[in-house]
Amino acid sequence: MERVNHTLLTEFILTGVPHPPRLRTFLLVFFLLIYILTQLGNLLILITVCADTQLHARPMYIFLSALSIIDMGISTIIVPRLMMNFTPGVKPIPFGGCVAQLYFYHFLGSSQCFLYTTMAYDRYLAICQPLRYPVLMSAKLSTLLVAGAWVAGSIHGAIQAILTFRLPYCGPNQVDYFFCDIPAVLKLACADTTVNELVTFVDIGVVVASCFSLILLSYIYIIRAILRIRTADGRRRAFSTCGAHVTIVTVYYVPCAFIYLRPDSHSVLDGAAALFPTAITPFLNPLIYTLRNQEVKLALRRMIGGQKTKSEV
């Protein structure tokens, strides 16, 4: 009997997002549309930036392209699995699949945190140091910063995955969440999780708090510089340049802080909050960065106009 109690799990069952059964079809279609539009929107940004000679070598759009890749990745890791919970029957996820999902989510999520910080620094240089900006932020340096964000994110994701799955899991196997994330998975461990919870709180807390503090500091200097601009049109354009970034950072960081920076959290609102960084933010990014960005809209028009000209010829 003792051996049965300690049989290690080979799969998990994700309970998904709590919902009334009558809304199952609606939610399936809703998240399917969210996923398709997320992939198409971010792919459109990538194609536009790569195809337009005026954009693809500029640091801001190198960061935007990297952000689009991350958004497509996070959406692909989480949303298809979420949609499976709205279909009939039990859909278990293999143990290895759970490990991979947790690793890639934290790898891409922390890379996104670092990238948001880099984008805030880029806007700081563009507005506060406009004459020195081409020297301080070259295309080569921006590419290195993106690579650094990916490397740091992969290390962070590996630490979280190793710490979480070094523990034994011997049942039950029902994860009370819609994807394999640290707080939900740790509840199923057959060992003391105090150290894991503390390390997770400190590690993610340091990443979120340091990135958010640097972003906040950058925007304090940016706002001071904008307020010194004499013309109302100049101030409006400067605020418009930063508005998209501030909107996305707010939508991303507030739910993350709510989920991870509250020790021993078991709130039913965690699942709803997690939908923002996993499904809503990747969907909103291309909308906000295209609708609020004149240069991207002009590049889209040039690309569409060029295609029309070729077809007419």
Side-chain angles (χ1 to χ4, degrees), residues 101-117:
Q101 190 179 52
L102 188 145
Y103 165 72
F104 280 107
Y105 173 67
H106 282 274
F107 160 38
L108 294 174
S110 54
S111 298
Q112 195 166 32
C113 283
F114 300 135
L115 191 59
Y116 282 146
T117 308

Side-chain angles (χ1 to χ4, degrees), residues 103-251:
Y103 165 72
F104 280 107
Y105 173 67
H106 282 274
F107 160 38
L108 294 174
S110 54
S111 298
Q112 195 166 32
C113 283
F114 300 135
L115 191 59
Y116 282 146
T117 308
T118 306
M119 292 171 75
Y121 178 63
D122 173 69
R123 291 302 85 203
Y124 160 75
L125 291 179
I127 292 173
C128 299
Q129 305 282 341
L131 298 179
R132 300 177 61 202
Y133 176 75
V135 176
L136 296 173
M137 184 60 74
S138 63
K140 181 179 180 181
L141 177 59
S142 60
T143 304
L144 289 174
L145 289 171
V146 169
W150 284 80
V151 171
S154 66
I155 294 171
H156 172 83
I159 290 172
Q160 294 300 331
I162 291 169
L163 285 175
T164 301
F165 290 101
R166 70 181 178 84
L167 299 173
Y169 292 88
C170 47
N173 68 341
Q174 186 167 295
V175 180
D176 191 20
Y177 217 50
F178 63 91
F179 72 101
C180 291
D181 200 12
I182 298 167
V185 173
L186 284 181
K187 295 177 189 177
L188 307 180
C190 304
D192 183 30
T193 62
T194 304
V195 174
N196 284 71
E197 290 171 359
L198 180 62
V199 171
T200 298
F201 178 78
V202 172
D203 183 25
I204 295 180
V206 166
V207 171
V208 172
S210 59
C211 288
F212 188 76
S213 297
L214 290 171
I215 291 171
L216 186 63
L217 184 63
S218 297
Y219 275 96
I220 289 173
Y221 282 104
I222 288 171
I223 291 171
R224 288 175 57 187
I226 291 175
L227 293 176
R228 288 198 292 265
I229 298 175
R230 295 182 179 181
T231 63
D233 184 59
R235 287 195 297 269
R236 182 187 59 78
R237 282 185 296 176
F239 274 121
S240 178
T241 302
C242 303
H245 188 238
V246 172
T247 303
I248 288 298
V249 165
T250 303
V251 172

Side-chain angles (χ1 to χ4, degrees), residues 26 47 68 85 91-93 95 98-99 122 125 209 213 234 241 253 259 281-282 284-285 296:
F26 168 78
I47 293 172
S68 292
N85 292 116
K91 308 292 191 306
I93 180 172
F95 188 91
C98 193
V99 175
D122 173 69
L125 291 179
S213 297
T241 302
Y253 274 100
I259 296 166
T281 303
L284 290 177
N285 271 345
V296 173

